[in-house]
Amino acid sequence: MTHAEDPRTAPSIRWGILAPGGIAHTFATAVRQHTQGELVAVGSRNRDRAAAFAAEYDIPGVHGSYESLVADPSVDAVYVASPHSEHRDHALLAIAAGKHVLVEKSFTRNAAEAQEVVDAARAAGVFLMEAMWTRFLPHVVALRSVLERGDIGDVVSLLADHGQAFGDVDPSHRLMNPELAGGALLDLGVYPVSFAHDVLGVPDRVQATGSLTATGVDGQISIALGYGERTQASLHTTLWSRTATTAVIGGTEGRIEIETDFYRPTAFTVIRNDGSYWSFDREVDGGFQYQAAEVARRVAEGATESPVITHEDSLAVMRTMDEIRRQVGVAYPGE
């Protein structure tokens, strides 16, 4: 595929939103404005919170528990938007109810939990996908075609970073809280790690150095991934600085420079060694609509996973992040 399909051309699907936090607002807005999908139900442990979210987005179904949400017969697919620490349990809950599931990234806390969710979905025959929205965005679809054509020759390097300034948040905030699987890697670093997996595949070697917060989660990590004899990825993530959030893919015949924020809808420029260059720049509102449309299309055709981010892709990313956390000394309660 050389270009991203219009999300409005995807079939309708009826969404239930599990946990109406900040990211759920982004998802709901994108579904309403840019797809044919319907928001039919929302569930929270706090019914008033669910009701307020439902009123904002004209959602008919309001549930004061997650169990009630996944049992709602009007729901085709559940969007799991709870903290990382809850992804496994909430995905398993939706799968057990026979629902298709879109799970926010990071997919789970670790690869073992991810395997549980994948195994359950396969046994139930339902669709399951990690909500790594970046893989479906127009600029990423376009740059994959640039790489496949060989426009920059053989890829030998990838640079990507994602840092945000969260240094002054309360220690109980989900990003700082080990109980909620906090830290830079699972929330921010997953973007460069998953991007490297998307472009280069599964690394042969993983090396990481990191600094921890006072609460014991990762505040900053530098990561080197090795592929074969010469290809490398250099990745960085931090909770303490709003970094450039750019990415560069280097090849033997040129490079691709992806503008800030590389993980959101943005532009890139192909610069060849001979001095020629061209840019891709497509303005897109939102961005979450592309992954929502992917779920609708795959469910309509009877698929149980997406070829853009397969179950094995999500498992491989989790394995890499497990190794990174092991090297920097971050473990979550109950792991």
Side-chain angles (χ1 to χ4, degrees), residues 22 24 72 106 111 119 131 145 161 228-229 312:
D72 188 329
S106 294
D119 289 347
S145 67
D161 87 288
E229 293 183 1
E312 184 52 42

Side-chain angles (χ1 to χ4, degrees), residues 234-251:
S234 299
L235 316 175
H236 178 260
T237 187
T238 181
L239 294 177
W240 297 323
S241 174
R242 176 69 172 93
T243 60
T245 65
T246 55
V248 180
I249 302 170

Side-chain angles (χ1 to χ4, degrees), residues 14 25 28 32 42 53 87 98 108 118 131 134 142 150 154 211 249 264 277 286 289 291 310 314:
R14 300 175 300 177
H25 283 275
R32 278 193 69 191
V42 57
F53 190 94
H87 286 180
T108 51
V118 167
T134 303
D154 297 329
S211 304
I249 302 170
R264 294 179 179 274
Y277 65 92
Q289 62 267 29
Q291 64 180 351
T310 65
S314 293

